[in-house]
C-alpha cells in the first residue's frame, strides 16, 4: 500500500528505541554498514555502528523537517551564514536530544562495550576557531529546540582547526584529519549542487529586449556540493539542517579532444577547485588578507544564496517575496559578500531592476558584528578584490555611489563624513571595507553584549549610528544549556533536576533561578561540592591519560581556557602565578590556598607573541614543578588541544573562571558563561558579557578588578608608561626581571625578551597597569575559596542567576528584534 508517510514504510528495526531493539540495530549497522565482524570490531567501528543507529532514529524527523520548511509557506526561515560552525562531538548531544542515552548505554553494555569510551573516541569536526564558530553551533541548537525553521550554511573544510601538541613547551600544529574515518552524521546530497564562478572579466551588452546588461565571464567555475548535518532540537521533535559546501571541480572536459598538455592543465584546475574548501584559516580575531580566503567566503555564500533562490522556486514563490521567505544572518563580515552576490543574482541573472533588488536585499540581510579590534576588521585590497570578483567590485561601487548620494543629499558639504562612511577606504591604498558593506546592505546590525554594542555605536560604526538611528541593536550572546550543562555535567545536572525538575533544560532562563532556594541548604551544598569534586577528578584523569599531567583535585582549579591572544591577557595570569611562587618561596609557612592554575588554548600559527605566551606558561610550569618547596600548593599546567570535547570536561571542573581581557576588547565572550553555568565563580574585568553576568549574579558573587573601558582610554590618552608600574609594584618588577633573566628558560635571556620588552615598552593591553588590582582580587578569591560552605553557596547562586545566558534567550531576541519571526 502506498503510504502518505514514507517514514512508516521503513523497517521498525531501524527506529525501535528499546534496549533490545537498539542492541540489534547496533549489531546490524556494525556488520552491514561498517562491514566488521563483532569479534574484529575496534572502538571506532563500534562508534560508527552506534552513530548510524542513532542517525536512523533521527531520519524521520530530519526528512519531516525539510518537508516542514517547504510546507511553511508563510513562515520566514532563518539562513544563518557563517564561515565557521564549531559543532563539537555529535553522538552524546544527539542521544540527549532524542532522550535515548540510557537505553543505548544499556544496549552497548549488553555487547560488552562502554558508551563513555566510545564517546571519548569520536573525532570532533573542528570547523571553527573559537567563540564565533561555537556561537553559531549554540544558535543552531536553540533554533531547532525552539522550533524555528533554519538552515545553517557553511563550509565543509576537509581540514578543520589544527590539532595542537606541546613539544618542548611549544605549540606544534598537526593537520586535523577529521574525515579520515567517514563522518556518519552527514548526508551528501548530490542533487543539491551549484556552480560558483571566480575571477575572469565583465562585459556589457544590450539584450534582445534592449536592456543594458552586464555579463560576468568567470575565469574559473567550481561546483559546490551540499553535505547536510542534522540539527535535532531538544526532545527530538524538530530537526533543522546544517548545510556545508564542499568544493569540487566542474568536471566536463572531453578526454578525446584534449591533447596531453591540456589534460594536465585540466587536472591542475581540478586540484585548484578542490583547494577552496580544503582548510580552515586558523586565525581568531586576526584578519589575514589571503586571496584563497576571499575565494572561500564567496564560494559558500554564492552556493547558499543560489540554494535559497532554488528553494524559493520549489516553493512556487516569486523572487519578489524572497525576503519574506528568508531572514539571512551574517555571522561577522566573513559572509558579507552575500550583499553584492544577492544583488548580482537578482539583477544580472534574474533581470530584476536595481531598486527592487536592493529593496529585497536590504530587507533580507542582518549583520552581527563580533569585534572592535582593528586587526580583525576585514578589508580587502581593491586590486585583489577585482581579480577574484570583478563583477562584485562593480556592484559594490554602484551600491556605494547610490549610498553616498543619499548621504550627500542629507548632509550636504560634509565630505569628511562621506569619506568615513564610504564602502571604499581611500587613504593610501584602496580597500573594500566589509563591515560597511554588511551594514549598508542589512536591515539590522547587532553587537553581542551591551558594552560591545555601545562601543560599536561610539566607535567603529559611529557614523552609521547617527545616520540610521535604531539600526544598531544589541543581542547579548548565549550558550546552549543542553550541551554546556546537561551533557557535559551530568553530576550537577542530575542534582539540579532532583530539586527543580528538568524544565531548566528547555526553559533555562525562567527555571534555573529556582535553584536559589537551595543555596544555603547544607545537604544540597554537600551534594553540590561532591558533584564539582567528581568533575575535577574526571578532568585530572583525562589530563593524566591524554597529556601525562598530574592534577590534584583537592586543590582549587583556577582556569583560563580560550584562544591565546594578547588582549585576553594570559600573560597577566602568568605574572600572577610567578608572584605567588615568589611569595611561597619567601615564606614557606604562609597561609596559602593550594591551587592548580590551568591554561588551555590555541595560538594562530603565525602569531609570534601568542606562541611565546604558551612557551612561557609551560616554562614557568616546569620550574615550579621542579621546586619541592611549593609542591602540593601551587601548580601551573597547560592542557593541550583545547576544543569542544576538552571544554566539556574542563568547564565543569573549574572553581574559578579567568575572564581578564582588557576592558573594551572582548566583544562578549561565551566561555565566561559556560564556566558560570557549571558553577565556577568569575574573576574578571568589566568587559564583554562579564558586565551583564556581574549584574545578574550580584557584585558580592563576582571578583571584579581592573580598569574600566573609560579608564583604559584615559590612561592611553595621558601617555601610558608601563615602566612606571614595573618600578612601583615590587612583585611585578621582580616577576618581569625573573623572566628576563632566564630563570624560566634555563638561563636563556633571549627566549622571552620579546615578551618582556613588549610589556615594558608598549603594553598595548595594559597588563602592567592592571596587575596590582588583579593580584589583590585573586587573593580575595583564594581566601573566599577557603571558606568552603560560603563558596559553595556563591557557586549555587551563580548558576541560579545566570539564566539570561542561555542561547534560547538570545535566539528569542533575534526572532523578536531582528528577524520578525514569531516563536512559541
Ligand atoms: C566557548 C569556546 C570558546 C570561546 O571562549 P572565550 O572564553 O569566550 O574566548 C573557544 N573555544 C572553544 C572550544 C569553546 O568551546
Amino acid at each position: 500500500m502506498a503510504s502518505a508517510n514514507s517514514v512508516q514504510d521503513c523497517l521498525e528495526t531501524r527506529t525501535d528505541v528499546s534496549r533490545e531493539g537498539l542492541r540489534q540495530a547496533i549489531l546490524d549497522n556494525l556488520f552491514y554498514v561498517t562491514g566488521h565482524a563483532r569479534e574484529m570490531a575496534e572502538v571506532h567501528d563500534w562508534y560508527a555502528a552506534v552513530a548510524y543507529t542513532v542517525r536512523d532514529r533521527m531520519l524521520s524527523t530530519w526528512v519531516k523537517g525539510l518537508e516542514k520548511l517547504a510546507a511553511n509557506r508563510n513562515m520566514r526561515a532563518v539562513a544563518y551564514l557563517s564561515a565557521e560552525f564549531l559543532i563539537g562531538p555529535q553522538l552524546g548531544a544527539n542521544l540527549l536530544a532524542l532522550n535515548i542515552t540510557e537505553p543505548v548505554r544499556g544496549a552497548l553494555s549488553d555487547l560488552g562495550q562502554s558508551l563513555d569510551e566510545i564517546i571519548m573516541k569520536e573525532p570532533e569536526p573542528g570547523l571553527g576557531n573559537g567563540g564565533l564558530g561555537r556561537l553559531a553551533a549554540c544558535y543552531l541548537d536553540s533554533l531547532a529546540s525552539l522550533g524555528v525553521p533554519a538552515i545553517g550554511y557553511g563550509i565543509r573544510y576537509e581540514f578543520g582547526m589544527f590539532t595542537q601538541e606541546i613539544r618542548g613547551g611549544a605549540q606544534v600544529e598537526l593537520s586535523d584529519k577529521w574525515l579520515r574515518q567517514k563522518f556518519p552524521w552527514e548526508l551528501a546530497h548530490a542533487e543539491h549542487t551549484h556552480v560558483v564562478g571566480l575571477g575572469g572579466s565583465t562585459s556589457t551588452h544590450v539584450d534582445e529586449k534592449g536592456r543594458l546588461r552586464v555579463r560576468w565571464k568567470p575565469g574559473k567555475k567550481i561546483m559546490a556540493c551540499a553535505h547536510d548535518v542534522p540539527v535535532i532540537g531538544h526532545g527530538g521533535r524538530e530537526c533543522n539542517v546544517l548545510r556545508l559546501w564542499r568544493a569540487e571541480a566542474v568536471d566536463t572536459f572531453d578526454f578525446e579532444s584534449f591533447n596531453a598538455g591540456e589534460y594536465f592543465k585540466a587536472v591542475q584546475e581540478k586540484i585548484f577547485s578542490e583547494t577552496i574548501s580544503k582548510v580552515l584559516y586558523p586565525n581568531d580575531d586576526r584578519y589575514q588578507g589571503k586571496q584563497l580566503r576571499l575565494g572561500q567566503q564567496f564560494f559558500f555564500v554564492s552556493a547558499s544564496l543560489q540554494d535559497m533562490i532554488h528553494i524559493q522556486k520549489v516553493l512556487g514563490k516569486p523572487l519578489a517575496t524572497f525576503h519574506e521567505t528568508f531572514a539571512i544572518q551574517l555571522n561577522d563580515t566573513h559572509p558579507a559578500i552575500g550583499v553584492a552576490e544577492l544583488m548580482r543574482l537578482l539583477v544580472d541573472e534574474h533581470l530584476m531592476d536595481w531598486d527592487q533588488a536592493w529593496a529585497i536585499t536590504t530587507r533580507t540581510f542582518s549583520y552581527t558584528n563580533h569585534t572592535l579590534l582593528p586587526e580583525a576588521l576585514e578589508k580587502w585590497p581593491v586590486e585583489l578584490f577585482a581579480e577574484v570578483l570583478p563583477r562584485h567590485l562593480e556592484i559594490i561601487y554602484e551600491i556605494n555611489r547610490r549610498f553616498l548620494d543619499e548621504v550627500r543629499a542629507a548632509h550636504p558639504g560634509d565630505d569628511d563624513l562621506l569619506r568615513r562612511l564610504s564602502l571604499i577606504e581611500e587613504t593610501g591604498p584602496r580597500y573594500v571595507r566589509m563591515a560597511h558593506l554588511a551594514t549598508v546592505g542589512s536591515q539590522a546590525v547587532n553587537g553581542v553584549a551591551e558594552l560591545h554594542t555601545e562601543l560599536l555605536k561610539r566607535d567603529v560604526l559611529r557614523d552609521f549610528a547617527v545616520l540610521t538611528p535604531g539600526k544598531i541593536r544589541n543581542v547579548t550572546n548565549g550558550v546552549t544549556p543542553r550541551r554546556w550543562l546537561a551533557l557535559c555535567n551530568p553530576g550537577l545536572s542530575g542534582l539540579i533536576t532532583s530539586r527543580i525538575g528538568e524544565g531548566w533544560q528547555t526553559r533555562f532562563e525562567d527555571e534555573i533561578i529556582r535553584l536559589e532556594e537551595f543555596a544555603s541548604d547544607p545537604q544540597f551544598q554537600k551534594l553540590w561540592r561532591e558533584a564539582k569534586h567528581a568533575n575535577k577528578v574526571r578532568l585530572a584523569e583525562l589530563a593524566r591519560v591524554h597529556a601525562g599531567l598530574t592534577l590534584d583535585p583537592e586543590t582549587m582549579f583556577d582556569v583560563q581556557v580560550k584562544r591565546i591572544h594578547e588582549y585576553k591577557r594570559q600573560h597577566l595570569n602568568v605574572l600572577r602565578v610567578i608572584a605567588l611562587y615568589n611569595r611561597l618561596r619567601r615564606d614557606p609557612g604562609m597561609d596559602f590556598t593550594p591551587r592548580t592554575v590551568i591554561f588551555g588554548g590555541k595560538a594562530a600559527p603565525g602569531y609570534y607573541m601568542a606562541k611565546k605566551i604558551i612557551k612561557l606558561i609551560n616554562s614557568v610550569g616546569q620550574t615550579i614543578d621542579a621546586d619541592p618547596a611549593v609542591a602540593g600548593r601551587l601548580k601551573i599546567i597547560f592542557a593541550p588541544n583545547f576544543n569542544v570535547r576538552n571544554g566539556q570536561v574542563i568547564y565543569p571542573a573549574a572553581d574559578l573562571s579567568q575572564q581578564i581581557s582588557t576592558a573594551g576588547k572582548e566583544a562578549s565572550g561565551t566561555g565566561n558563561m559556560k564556566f558560570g553555568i557549571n558553577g565556577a565563580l568569575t574573576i574578571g574585568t568589566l568587559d564583554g558579557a562579564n558586565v551583564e553576568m556581574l549584574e545578574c549574579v550580584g557584585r558580592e558573587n563576582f571578583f571584579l578588578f581592573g580598569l574600566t573601558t573609560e579608564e583604559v582610554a584615559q590612561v592611553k590618552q595621558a601617555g601610558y608608561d608601563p615602566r612606571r608600574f614595573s618600578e612601583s609594584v615590587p612583585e611585578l618588577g621582580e616577576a618581569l626581571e625573573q623572566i628576563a633573566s632566564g630563570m624560566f628558560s634555563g638561563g636563556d635571556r633571549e627566549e622571552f625578551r620579546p615578551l618582556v620588552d613588549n610589556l615594558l615598552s608598549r603594553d598595548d593591553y595594559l597588563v602592567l597597569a592592571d596587575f596590582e588590582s588583579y593580584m589583590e582580587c585573586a587573593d580575595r578569591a583564594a581566601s573566599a575559596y577557603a571558606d568552603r560552605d560560603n563558596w559553595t553557596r556563591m557557586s549555587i547562586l551563580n548558576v541560579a542567576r545566570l539564566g539570561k545566558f542561555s542561547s534560547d534567550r538570545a535566539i528569542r531576541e533575534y526572532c523578536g528584534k531582528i528577524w520578525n519571526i514569531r516563536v512559541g
Side-chain angles (χ1 to χ4, degrees):
M1 192 190 88
S3 164
N5 185 349
S6 55
V7 171
Q8 280 166 6
D9 297 339
C10 297
L11 290 173
E12 288 205 346
T13 52
R14 293 191 85 152
T15 52
D16 185 353
V17 292
S18 70
R19 177 166 173 161
E20 296 67 35
L22 287 162
R23 185 177 58 217
Q24 191 56 48
I26 292 169
L27 284 176
D28 287 354
N29 278 314
L30 183 67
F31 188 74
Y32 289 107
V33 182
T34 79
H36 283 282
R38 188 174 160 182
E39 298 70 33
M40 305 295 283
E42 296 181 26
V43 179
H44 67 260
D45 304 318
W46 285 105
Y47 162 70
V50 177
Y52 286 114
T53 300
V54 175
R55 193 180 87 171
D56 287 342
R57 279 143 190 82
M58 296 164 69
L59 264 166
S60 64
T61 328
W62 189 352
V63 171
K64 274 188 252 166
L66 293 174
E67 286 168 5
K68 189 174 155 190
L69 186 74
N72 248 334
R73 285 157 191 269
N74 298 315
M75 187 155 176
R76 250 183 147 190
V78 176
Y80 198 87
L81 264 58
S82 179
E84 306 186 6
F85 285 92
L86 196 50
I87 58 177
Q90 295 294 289
L91 177 56
N94 287 332
L95 288 171
L96 176 70
L98 294 171
N99 194 22
I100 56 170
T101 309
E102 289 319 310
V104 168
R105 187 190 303 284
L108 280 167
S109 140
D110 294 346
L111 296 165
Q113 302 299 316
S114 147
L115 175 62
D116 292 330
E117 194 184 322
I118 286 170
I119 280 177
M120 284 312 286
K121 282 277 156 56
E122 178 178 6
E124 165 169 341
L127 308 185
N129 272 280
L132 173 145
R134 185 52 234 176
L135 184 79
C138 281
Y139 282 177
L140 291 186
D141 178 80
S142 285
L143 283 162
S145 295
L146 293 171
V148 179
I151 310 180
Y153 280 113
I155 302 174
R156 183 180 177 275
Y157 300 105
E158 187 177 333
F159 298 99
M161 191 60 205
F162 65 82
T163 299
Q164 179 194 57
E165 280 191 7
I166 301 299
R167 295 187 195 155
Q171 168 173 298
V172 175
E173 300 97 20
L174 307 180
S175 68
D176 160 55
K177 301 200 182 78
W178 72 286
L179 288 169
R180 194 166 33 191
Q181 284 138 30
K182 255 174 77 88
F183 181 56
W185 304 102
E186 70 183 0
L187 288 180
H189 278 296
E191 71 279 19
H192 298 296
T193 60
H194 303 282
V195 175
V196 177
L198 280 178
S201 58
T202 65
S203 59
T204 51
H205 66 283
V206 176
D207 73 6
E208 61 285 359
K209 289 186 178 158
R211 290 172 298 208
L212 182 69
R213 295 185 53 192
V214 180
R215 185 184 287 130
W216 173 30
K217 191 166 179 299
K220 293 190 190 74
K221 288 186 178 175
I222 297 168
M223 216 151 65
C225 307
H227 291 250
D228 287 356
V229 182
V231 181
I232 195 137
H234 192 75
R237 284 176 305 278
E238 308 282 345
C239 192
N240 286 328
V241 60
L242 169 58
R243 179 159 287 176
L244 300 173
W245 301 105
R246 182 176 55 83
E248 209 177 89
V250 183
D251 187 87
T252 50
F253 70 95
D254 170 6
F255 287 95
E256 305 254 357
S257 67
F258 279 90
N259 65 33
E262 281 168 328
Y263 169 77
F264 200 78
K265 184 162 160 266
V267 174
Q268 293 269 292
E269 292 207 351
K270 180 172 160 64
I271 290 169
F272 171 81
S273 300
E274 289 168 2
T275 59
I276 282 284
S277 60
K278 191 63 83 178
V279 58
L280 167 74
Y281 280 93
N283 306 310
D284 189 68
D285 277 333
R286 305 187 91 216
Y287 156 75
Q288 198 186 359
K290 282 282 191 304
Q291 183 160 333
L292 181 65
R293 167 77 172 185
L294 184 59
Q296 287 186 335
Q297 295 181 347
F298 179 68
F299 163 76
F300 95 89
V301 168
S302 176
S304 307
L305 288 171
Q306 292 183 56
D307 202 50
M308 285 179 247
I309 288 175
H310 172 77
I311 293 172
Q312 178 80 351
K313 288 211 176 127
V314 171
L315 295 178
K317 295 202 217 169
L319 270 181
T321 63
F322 184 76
H323 58 288
E324 292 171 15
T325 310
F326 292 106
I328 303 181
Q329 193 65 33
L330 302 171
N331 196 24
D332 211 320
T333 55
H334 314 148
I337 188 60
V339 171
E341 172 66 352
L342 183 56
M343 285 301 287
R344 187 192 68 84
L345 290 167
L346 295 178
V347 174
D348 291 1
E349 305 275 332
H350 296 277
L351 308 181
M352 198 179 274
D353 74 64
W354 181 282
D355 289 323
Q356 190 189 5
W358 186 243
I360 291 169
T361 298
T362 51
R363 280 168 178 73
T364 302
F365 284 101
S366 304
Y367 155 53
T368 305
N369 173 286
H370 282 273
T371 179
L372 303 166
L373 298 181
E375 68 266 34
L377 293 178
E378 281 192 295
K379 47 177 199 177
W380 293 98
V382 164
E383 290 69 33
L384 183 151
F385 208 98
E387 231 175 87
V388 180
L389 300 167
R391 178 58 184 141
H392 297 79
L393 186 60
E394 292 173 2
I395 290 171
I396 288 169
Y397 283 152
E398 182 61 14
I399 294 171
N400 200 33
R401 189 184 66 76
R402 290 166 180 251
F403 169 59
L404 294 182
D405 278 350
E406 280 177 28
V407 178
R408 201 176 287 113
H411 303 266
D414 194 345
D415 285 354
D416 208 45
L417 178 67
L418 295 180
R419 187 183 50 70
R420 294 198 307 268
L421 282 169
S422 176
L423 306 195
I424 309 295
E425 183 179 308
E426 320 212 28
T427 49
R430 295 161 75 229
Y431 294 97
V432 181
R433 296 163 161 164
M434 299 307 273
H436 291 212
L437 175 63
T439 303
V440 171
S442 291
Q443 53 101 28
V445 175
N446 77 285
V448 290
E450 278 167 17
L451 172 65
H452 169 63
T453 302
E454 282 316 305
L455 295 176
L456 257 186
K457 289 198 234 176
R458 201 195 299 170
D459 188 19
V460 175
L461 297 180
R462 183 183 56 238
D463 296 309
F464 290 98
V466 174
L467 197 67
T468 42
K471 186 166 180 174
I472 305 178
R473 305 162 199 184
N474 177 250
V475 182
T476 299
N477 283 168
V479 299
T480 168
R482 272 78 62 185
R483 180 177 293 266
W484 294 115
L485 183 51
L487 178 65
C488 72
N489 199 343
L492 213 60
S493 296
L495 184 56
I496 292 169
T497 300
S498 74
R499 293 302 192 275
I500 66 169
E502 54 185 17
W504 61 269
Q505 294 197 23
T506 46
R507 294 183 309 278
F508 195 69
E509 58 271 50
D510 302 322
E511 294 286 320
I512 199 67
I513 189 71
R514 294 172 52 209
L515 217 55
E516 266 202 2
E517 189 189 322
F518 305 95
S520 299
D521 170 349
Q523 176 61 17
F524 189 69
Q525 284 182 357
K526 177 164 171 289
L527 295 169
W528 189 271
R529 215 160 27 238
E530 284 168 5
K532 287 293 294 184
H533 187 266
N535 292 339
K536 292 163 79 169
V537 172
R538 179 176 67 156
L539 172 59
E541 181 64 9
L542 182 86
R544 186 182 64 77
V545 173
H546 290 275
L549 298 165
T550 19
L551 279 68
D552 179 0
E554 306 313 315
T555 64
M556 177 183 193
F557 279 11
D558 175 332
V559 188
Q560 185 173 22
V561 286
K562 48 180 74 245
R563 288 301 290 259
I564 311 294
H565 211 300
E566 287 163 283
Y567 86 80
K568 292 176 183 277
R569 300 201 294 192
Q570 281 91 357
H571 43 351
L572 173 59
N573 194 350
V574 182
L575 286 169
R576 172 181 68 112
V577 173
I578 296 173
L580 292 176
Y581 176 50
N582 289 329
R583 285 182 192 174
L584 276 175
R585 288 202 308 165
R586 262 192 294 276
D587 179 9
M590 75 182 283
D591 193 16
F592 190 87
T593 304
R595 77 200 84 167
T596 306
V597 181
I598 299 166
F599 288 83
K602 293 172 186 176
Y607 190 170
Y608 179 78
M609 279 301 174
K611 291 183 138 178
K612 280 284 170 204
I613 292 172
I614 292 179
K615 188 84 199 276
L616 180 64
I617 294 166
N618 285 304
S619 304
V620 172
Q622 266 201 335
T623 306
I624 293 182
D625 263 355
D627 190 340
V630 297
R633 307 226 273 170
L634 179 63
K635 192 165 172 88
I636 163 173
I637 65 136
F638 190 92
N641 203 38
F642 180 60
N643 58 9
V644 174
R645 180 211 311 288
N646 292 332
Q648 287 176 200
V649 182
I650 295 173
Y651 292 118
D655 295 308
L656 188 64
S657 156
Q658 298 277 343
Q659 306 300 335
I660 62 176
S661 53
T662 316
K665 298 294 179 191
E666 187 76 89
S668 164
T670 48
N672 45 6
M673 303 166 189
K674 295 177 223 166
F675 277 112
I677 66 174
N678 281 283
L681 299 184
T682 305
I683 178 168
T685 48
L686 281 176
D687 200 15
N690 293 356
V691 179
E692 292 157 73
M693 289 175 65
L694 180 149
E695 277 168 19
C696 289
V697 304
R699 275 187 183 253
E700 66 285 7
N701 297 306
F702 192 104
F703 297 97
L704 177 67
F705 77 94
L707 299 170
T708 62
T709 306
E710 285 68 34
E711 288 164 350
V712 166
Q714 284 159 14
V715 168
K716 291 205 166 176
Q717 190 81 50
Y720 174 52
D721 175 15
R723 259 178 222 281
R724 237 192 53 223
F725 291 93
S726 69
E727 283 158 13
S728 64
V729 183
E731 284 194 304
L732 175 60
E734 180 184 23
L736 286 166
E737 177 50 38
Q738 287 167 331
I739 299 171
S741 74
M743 172 167 160
F744 305 106
S745 40
D748 180 349
R749 304 172 68 94
E750 295 309 309
E751 175 81 84
F752 298 119
R753 184 190 293 279
L755 250 181
V756 175
D757 282 354
N758 184 282
L759 286 177
L760 288 175
S761 58
R762 302 176 51 91
D763 191 17
D764 288 329
Y765 300 101
L766 304 203
V767 171
L768 306 202
D770 267 345
F771 177 83
E772 208 172 11
S773 161
Y774 179 47
M775 276 315 280
E776 181 275 325
C777 187
D779 288 345
R780 264 192 291 127
S783 314
Y785 185 76
D787 180 352
R788 291 199 325 168
D789 292 349
N790 192 47
W791 182 275
T792 309
R793 190 184 60 82
M794 287 163 72
S795 166
I796 299 166
L797 285 179
N798 198 66
V799 175
R801 294 174 179 176
L802 289 176
K804 171 177 171 183
F805 301 95
S806 162
S807 47
D808 297 345
R809 184 274 312 152
I811 286 300
R812 283 183 208 278
E813 279 189 35
Y814 275 98
C815 286
K817 291 193 202 176
I818 311 259
W819 301 326
N820 191 24
I821 291 175
R822 275 225 313 271
V823 47

